[in-house]
Amino acid sequence: MNTNNIDLLVNNPDTTNLFQLPPEAKRLPAWRMWVPLLLQIGLIAAVPATAVYTFITGKTVVLQTAPVDPYDFLRGYYQVLSYDISDRTNLQKLPGWKDLPTEKIYCPPGVVCPQNTNTVKAKTSFYVILEAPKAATNPGRPQAWKPVRVSLENPTNLPANQIAIKGKYNGWQMEYGLETYYMPEDEREKVNQEISEAQRNQRQSFLVEVKVDKTGHAVPVSLWVRDRNYRF
């Protein structure tokens, strides 16, 4: 476009109007920028806020861990654990298990299937009711709480020595959001070595202390290896 054409567009009001934005588009309302930003901040803050609430208001519960391979226990900066109450074979012995929603197990032709071809439906969320130990046998080390039943709904009016912890069944075990922990670098190798030594004499030799709130949500507090306590 030459100079004469440019001057013609500038000096002609009919043509310049073609390039003007409508008045409502000249200025973006401030709320259209702040609302999405505040929503994002709220979503990011919701998770730690829930954890803080559980830590402050929750009841202290001790969970028995399942035996682990000490060489697989540490994965980078994180520890990976499972619990006695994660194991399906332990949970299915409890009252209430048969009341959970089920789905039929697919059995390929020619394969010998179990007599009971129904299993608890994957992704089902339910509660495991835990009961506090009656008496401490080792004053220097807490005792694990015992699972007494399961419930699809969060039970109300539980006695003071019981609490309901919520988990989700993944098709073969329960997950409580307590399976992975961050451990400081200066403690990782030490903890791993102590667990390895402890399990030589007693397979179930370490415990995890958690806080559980009234909704069943749980957060980790510390790890017990024999008589030693490590805070998360």
Side-chain angles (χ1 to χ4, degrees), residues 18 20 41 43 52 76 87 90 92 103 116 123 129 131 141 144 156 162 167 176 218 225 229-231:
L18 297 175
Q20 291 181 355
I41 295 174
L43 290 174
V52 170
D87 192 337
N90 293 332
Q92 65 187 12
E103 59 185 356
N116 183 9
K123 298 183 180 180
I129 291 79
E131 186 173 280
R141 180 176 182 266
T156 58
Q162 292 185 359
Y176 301 93
V225 184
N229 183 246
Y230 298 92
R231 308 291 293 186

Side-chain angles (χ1 to χ4, degrees), residues 53-54 57-63 85 91 94 126-133 143-151 153-167 176 178 208-219:
Y53 171 82
T54 302
T57 66
K59 179 180 292 188
T60 301
V61 175
V62 179
L63 302 179
I85 59 171
L91 295 177
L94 299 176
F126 59 90
Y127 298 82
V128 179
I129 291 79
L130 303 170
E131 186 173 280
Q143 286 184 280
W145 288 46
K146 179 183 177 181
V148 292
R149 63 185 175 95
V150 300
S151 173
E153 303 294 335
N154 190 359
T156 58
N157 300 323
L158 288 175
N161 65 335
Q162 292 185 359
I163 192 72
I165 183 171
K166 186 178 182 180
Y176 301 93
L178 301 169
V208 171
E209 185 178 352
V210 303
K211 286 287 190 77
V212 183
D213 65 25
K214 61 182 180 181
T215 68
H217 180 254
V219 295

Side-chain angles (χ1 to χ4, degrees), residues 48-205:
T50 301
V52 170
Y53 171 82
T54 302
F55 184 83
I56 295 174
T57 66
K59 179 180 292 188
T60 301
V61 175
V62 179
L63 302 179
Q64 178 63 65
T65 60
V68 299
D69 179 356
Y71 296 101
D72 191 49
F73 175 60
L74 285 174
R75 297 181 182 178
Y77 290 92
Y78 294 88
Q79 287 71 42
V80 179
L81 291 174
S82 61
Y83 303 87
D84 280 2
I85 59 171
S86 303
D87 192 337
R88 179 184 62 187
T89 58
N90 293 332
L91 295 177
Q92 65 187 12
K93 300 174 185 177
L94 299 176
W97 178 264
K98 295 181 179 180
D99 299 328
L100 301 176
T102 61
E103 59 185 356
K104 195 172 184 62
I105 301 173
Y106 173 72
C107 191
V111 176
V112 178
C113 291
Q115 293 181 353
N116 183 9
T117 57
N118 291 328
T119 184
V120 172
K121 189 175 182 179
K123 298 183 180 180
T124 298
S125 295
F126 59 90
Y127 298 82
V128 179
I129 291 79
L130 303 170
E131 186 173 280
K134 294 182 179 180
T137 57
N138 184 351
R141 180 176 182 266
Q143 286 184 280
W145 288 46
K146 179 183 177 181
V148 292
R149 63 185 175 95
V150 300
S151 173
L152 190 60
E153 303 294 335
N154 190 359
T156 58
N157 300 323
L158 288 175
N161 65 335
Q162 292 185 359
I163 192 72
I165 183 171
K166 186 178 182 180
K168 179 177 287 187
Y169 187 65
N170 66 11
W172 61 284
Q173 72 171 11
M174 280 285 278
E175 296 177 342
Y176 301 93
L178 301 169
E179 290 73 28
T180 304
Y181 303 98
Y182 172 79
M183 185 67 71
E185 183 176 2
D186 59 344
E187 293 185 346
R188 282 181 291 146
E189 293 300 329
K190 180 181 180 181
V191 171
N192 196 39
Q193 183 179 355
E194 289 200 13
I195 288 177
S196 179
E197 293 176 354
Q199 288 192 146
R200 292 174 188 172
N201 300 321
Q202 183 182 357
R203 291 290 292 168
Q204 293 183 321
S205 54

